Amino acid sequence: MKSSDGEIIDCILIAKQPAFDHPMLKYHTIQMTPSSYPHEVLTDEDNAPSPSNDEEQPENISQSRQMAGECPENTIPIKRITKEDLLRVDNIKNYGKKSNISRPYQLYNPIDIISDNNDHEYAIAYVNGGPYRGTKAQITVWKPRIEAGESSLSQIWIIGGKFGPGLNTIEAGLHVNPDLYGDSNPHFFIYWTSDGYHKTVCYSLMCSCFVQINRRVSPGGVFNHISTYNGPQFILTIQIWKVAKSNSVQVMHVRSLTMKSVVRCLLVVLTVMVTNIVEPIAGKVKNQQIELRLKQLNKQALKSLESSNGEIIDCISIVNQPAFDHPMLKNHTIQMTPSSYPHEVLTEENNAPTPSNDEEQPEITVQPWQLVGECPENTIPIKRITKEDLLREDNIKNHGNKSNISQPHQFYHPKDITNYSVHEYAIASVDGGPFRGTKAQINVWKPRVQEVGESSISQISIIGGKFDAGLNSIQAGSHVHPALYGDDNPHFFIYWTRDNYQKTGCYNLRCPGFVQINKKLTPGYLLTPISTYNGPQVKFTIKMWKDPKTGNWWLQLNDQELIGYWPKEIFTNLADEGASVIEWGGEVVNKKKDGQHTTTEMGSGHFPSEGFGKASSFEVIKIIDMNNGLIDPVKVKTVVSRPACYDIKTGYDKTYEVFFYYGGPGRNPNCS
């Protein structure tokens, strides 16, 4: 059925609904009616005035989808998820989850609530000290105005357990959430978690848990009528209670009505504590969830190779790689080679002194697993994701996403950089494009990272569009990222986003996007050997450019190995235009443990003033113009967040052409 607001409603067999995909509900028997209903209890409470409801409408649930008809017996209505729905999220595996989690435990910490760092605002009433069996309340239906990326909720929470990782909660109410629904209308919603919003959560029926029995009303539906200021009021009554004989919790719409009266507009969320709604997930169930996620992340291998460092590399059919799970790439034809390559453009180069490079080693790219064997033709190598990889994440659904986002738009606001407490930068950039791409040699080092939640990055960024929510970016380079890989070694990585890191993008091949064609090298591989202080230097060359005919963005290493490309279909600004900005340099995630600056190193961990063989470098830096020519960048800008911690120094030479040294040790006597 198609409703007036464009939603398509599918009538699903009640026994085949999403709830029964949950491992704990495989043999669940549907309970069609509660064993009992809550009853009114007469008390000697004072009578308080309430608005008149002389013009109350008949009891009904008014959702737009009901105008199109109703589902047959033994079915339930579920909104069909569309391609547009999935494109609004950063990772299609995360669809239906809260991006900005409502955390009820903060309600009991006034300091947290009033903090400028808290992105949640509350106006709530609550009771505690239960146990309670449930609650009932009427909520007026309004349509609050919101900004993009935000949401407004009017809801009931029922909470069990302590406010920590074992917190249980079920929620129901109204919210306006454009990111979830693609509109600014109020929707009825439900939500649940059994572990404090960490790994078990979703809205409405967007994951396995809630058992729906109603064939007319469905969580997630749009309300057809909303209240009018100083006019008719529409009210939704919600009743949630635990049935004594079944250990389940029932959610009921009781009625929708109008009343003509003056009602002051208030947001009041009623929170009621209930002891032990659901038992915390047992270790067995957690393992089942992890195994299910691993099956989603790891494609079926035609061959597997185990390297000396314990990594398992799966050889996946090139046509079954993760990229083609992206909704925009369902009918994509793989491009095995670029239509053309960037070419050198002869120019008059300036001379400037640079240190000797007599001891420099050849460019080397070695992966330990290559010593064991190779993948067959028409396959690509992908590192197998393990249980240990997932356990390092706060949410297994987010594996491979950036937790501390690199935000290039801040490069152009030095005041913001100075005050920003998480990211430290030492970068060079050019703007004013359009540019078709870039090329540079990167020195390979193993910077020390202080905390598991921190990282040290040496990367190239190609950026398209304005520095706002529509920013497009592709990145490649070397990073040390213990939370992602479980080690402190440098890895080659790629990343992409089409919405300034809000909902799209991931590292390497850990979500659909990048199309790999190489059967020897794969993003995420271990970089070895590494440079030695005042000794042999190891480097690798990255080239990224836009194919003039197809619009795909190609990635090549060491002028020899084509790794693959980012298809134009996954972008907006980078799809039809060249890049507006290109950046090269270093970045550190600084968690400021104990209020001190991190000791996480950038580059070699030494300042650029130490020069060749001691400081890390980017060399032979080129931009690719719109004629596909490799030329020297001009009007290069540099930005450094804290020169006492990390710095950058540019130069030019006939051998190294445009180059710079960068990096630093982090915390030191001048950087605290």
Side-chain angles (χ1 to χ4, degrees):
M1 299 182 293
K2 189 172 184 179
S3 66
S4 57
D5 58 7
E7 286 185 336
I8 297 177
I9 306 303
D10 292 320
C11 298
I12 308 298
L13 278 173
I14 192 170
K16 298 293 185 180
Q17 62 181 292
F20 301 118
D21 292 333
H22 194 289
M24 299 296 290
L25 301 178
K26 293 296 185 183
Y27 305 104
H28 180 80
T29 300
I30 299 174
Q31 182 182 1
M32 294 302 295
T33 58
S35 61
S36 62
Y37 289 81
H39 57 273
E40 294 291 338
V41 178
L42 298 178
T43 64
D44 294 327
E45 298 173 348
D46 295 333
N47 286 326
S50 60
S52 168
N53 65 343
D54 295 338
E55 298 188 38
E56 182 175 329
Q57 292 182 342
E59 296 183 6
N60 62 74
I61 305 301
S62 182
Q63 292 183 324
S64 299
R65 60 182 62 172
Q66 292 175 278
M67 306 299 178
E70 65 178 29
C71 285
E73 292 291 337
N74 298 318
T75 67
I76 61 168
I78 299 182
K79 177 187 177 297
R80 181 180 300 177
I81 308 304
T82 66
K83 179 168 68 177
E84 289 72 23
D85 293 326
L86 297 182
L87 289 175
R88 288 193 302 271
V89 297
D90 57 348
N91 188 322
I92 60 175
K93 302 294 185 183
N94 294 337
Y95 182 71
K97 293 175 54 180
K98 287 188 177 182
S99 55
N100 291 307
I101 296 171
S102 174
R103 301 178 178 91
Y105 54 85
Q106 291 183 330
L107 307 180
Y108 303 92
N109 190 336
I111 294 177
D112 288 344
I113 291 180
I114 64 175
S115 170
D116 291 336
N117 296 324
N118 194 304
D119 56 0
H120 296 274
E121 302 277 345
Y122 300 99
I124 66 144
Y126 70 92
V127 294
N128 58 7
Y132 306 108
R133 196 173 289 281
T135 184
K136 174 182 176 181
Q138 292 183 340
I139 304 176
T140 52
V141 182
W142 291 89
K143 184 181 178 180
R145 185 180 65 84
I146 67 170
E147 298 289 338
E150 297 179 343
S151 60
S152 182
L153 300 86
S154 300
Q155 72 177 70
I156 294 170
W157 276 299
I158 292 184
I159 299 168
K162 296 180 180 180
F163 290 91
L167 183 78
N168 292 186
T169 177
I170 52 177
E171 304 162 31
L174 299 164
H175 66 170
V176 177
N177 190 334
D179 290 345
L180 187 64
Y181 302 107
D183 61 43
S184 58
N185 297 313
H187 292 251
F188 170 62
F189 80 95
I190 59 173
Y191 204 85
W192 72 282
T193 181
S194 64
D195 60 357
Y197 301 92
H198 286 87
K199 297 181 180 179
T200 62
V201 283
C202 75
Y203 279 111
S204 304
L205 304 185
M206 297 179 185
C207 71
S208 309
C209 178
F210 185 82
V211 179
Q212 180 170 330
I213 63 167
N214 196 298
R215 67 187 180 95
R216 296 189 302 113
V217 179
S218 178
V222 181
F223 276 88
N224 200 38
H225 300 289
I226 60 174
S227 301
T228 304
Y229 181 77
N230 201 22
Q233 302 296 292
F234 286 85
I235 291 179
L236 171 70
T237 302
I238 295 177
Q239 185 168 283
I240 307 175
W241 77 99
K242 183 169 185 175
V243 179
K245 294 184 179 180
S246 71
N247 286 331
S248 62
V249 179
Q250 302 281 331
V251 179
M252 289 189 64
H253 288 282
V254 177
R255 60 184 178 179
S256 173
L257 54 89
T258 63
M259 33 184 201
K260 198 165 187 178
S261 60
V262 179
V263 179
R264 187 176 181 185
C265 180
L266 295 173
L267 171 62
V268 180
V269 180
L270 175 62
T271 304
V272 182
M273 294 200 61
V274 179
T275 302
N276 294 328
I277 302 166
V278 183
E279 290 295 325
I281 293 183
K284 180 179 179 180
V285 177
K286 284 187 177 180
N287 287 334
Q288 289 174 334
Q289 292 175 333
I290 289 173
E291 290 302 319
L292 178 62
R293 184 64 176 137
L294 289 174
K295 288 180 180 179
Q296 295 170 337
L297 287 169
N298 294 317
K299 298 286 186 177
Q300 184 174 0
L302 300 180
K303 179 181 179 180
S304 296
L305 303 166
E306 184 170 0
S307 67
S308 58
N309 63 2
E311 283 187 340
I312 297 178
I313 301 300
D314 290 325
C315 301
I316 309 298
S317 171
I318 193 170
V319 297
N320 290 329
Q321 62 180 291
F324 302 119
D325 290 334
H326 195 291
M328 300 298 291
L329 301 178
K330 293 298 184 183
N331 300 312
H332 182 82
T333 300
I334 299 175
Q335 182 182 3
M336 294 302 294
T337 57
S339 64
S340 62
Y341 290 81
H343 57 274
E344 296 286 344
V345 177
L346 297 178
T347 61
E348 293 184 6
E349 300 171 346
N350 295 327
N351 238 341
T354 191
S356 168
N357 67 339
D358 294 338
E359 296 185 72
E360 183 171 339
Q361 291 184 341
E363 296 180 5
I364 300 175
T365 302
V366 176
Q367 298 185 63
W369 68 268
Q370 291 176 308
L371 303 176
V372 180
E374 64 176 25
C375 283
E377 291 297 325
N378 298 318
T379 67
I380 61 168
I382 300 180
K383 177 188 177 297
R384 183 181 299 175
I385 308 302
T386 67
K387 179 179 178 180
E388 290 70 29
D389 293 327
L390 297 185
L391 289 175
R392 289 193 300 272
E393 303 286 349
D394 58 351
N395 190 321
I396 61 175
K397 299 293 186 182
N398 295 333
H399 182 70
N401 295 346
K402 287 191 176 183
S403 55
N404 293 302
I405 296 169
S406 172
Q407 297 165 318
H409 60 280
Q410 292 186 335
F411 294 166
Y412 302 93
H413 303 282
K415 181 178 179 182
D416 290 342
I417 292 178
T418 302
N419 294 328
Y420 198 49
S421 61
V422 177
H423 297 273
E424 302 279 346
Y425 300 101
I427 65 149
S429 69
V430 292
D431 56 19
F435 308 110
R436 196 176 289 282
T438 185
K439 174 183 176 181
Q441 291 179 347
I442 302 178
N443 216 188
V444 181
W445 292 89
K446 182 182 177 180
R448 189 179 70 85
V449 173
Q450 176 182 315
E451 301 292 327
V452 171
E454 296 182 337
S455 60
S456 183
I457 307 168
S458 301
Q459 69 178 16
I460 297 171
S461 295
I462 292 180
I463 297 167
K466 297 179 179 179
F467 290 88
D468 56 21
L471 181 81
N472 290 190
S473 178
I474 54 176
Q475 300 158 31
S478 168
H479 67 171
V480 176
H481 196 317
L484 188 64
Y485 302 105
D487 61 41
D488 59 356
N489 297 311
H491 292 255
F492 170 67
F493 80 94
I494 61 173
Y495 202 92
W496 70 278
T497 181
R498 60 175 276 161
D499 61 358
N500 201 10
Y501 306 90
Q502 300 306 303
K503 297 180 181 179
T504 62
C506 69
Y507 280 113
N508 306 329
L509 304 185
R510 302 193 182 192
C511 72
F514 185 83
V515 177
Q516 181 172 328
I517 63 164
N518 196 297
K519 74 183 186 77
K520 295 187 296 179
L521 303 178
T522 184
Y525 74 79
L526 181 68
L527 287 166
T528 183
I530 59 174
S531 300
T532 304
Y533 182 78
N534 203 25
Q537 300 297 293
V538 179
K539 62 186 178 181
F540 69 108
T541 302
I542 294 177
K543 186 189 295 180
M544 303 156 72
W545 78 98
K546 186 180 179 70
D547 192 301
K549 291 186 178 180
T550 65
N552 299 327
W553 287 87
W554 280 92
L555 172 65
Q556 186 181 47
L557 296 185
N558 296 338
D559 289 322
Q560 298 175 352
E561 297 289 349
L562 285 170
I563 305 302
Y565 57 89
W566 292 272
K568 65 174 289 186
E569 292 90 341
I570 65 175
F571 297 113
T572 53
N573 298 313
L574 287 177
D576 299 315
E577 306 171 11
S580 54
V581 178
I582 298 178
E583 299 163 346
W584 311 266
E587 176 186 350
V588 161
V589 174
N590 172 21
K591 301 297 286 276
K592 298 190 72 174
K593 184 179 180 181
D594 300 325
Q596 294 183 304
H597 193 285
T598 183
T599 58
T600 290
E601 299 171 340
M602 179 187 293
S604 67
H606 293 264
F607 284 111
S609 58
E610 296 191 41
F612 179 82
K614 299 176 181 179
S616 187
S617 64
F618 275 65
E619 304 163 359
V620 197
I621 301 172
K622 300 286 185 178
I623 60 171
I624 301 170
D625 64 21
M626 296 306 286
N627 295 317
N628 229 22
L630 287 158
I631 62 174
D632 291 338
V634 295
K635 298 181 179 179
V636 176
K637 304 175 183 178
T638 61
V639 174
V640 179
S641 54
R642 298 187 187 184
C645 308
Y646 314 105
D647 208 352
I648 190 169
K649 182 179 180 181
T650 60
Y652 188 87
D653 173 79
K654 277 189 175 181
T655 301
Y656 291 107
E657 304 180 50
V658 177
F659 72 93
F660 62 81
Y661 297 122
Y662 72 103
R667 187 168 75 237
N668 64 73
N670 298 316
C671 169
S672 58

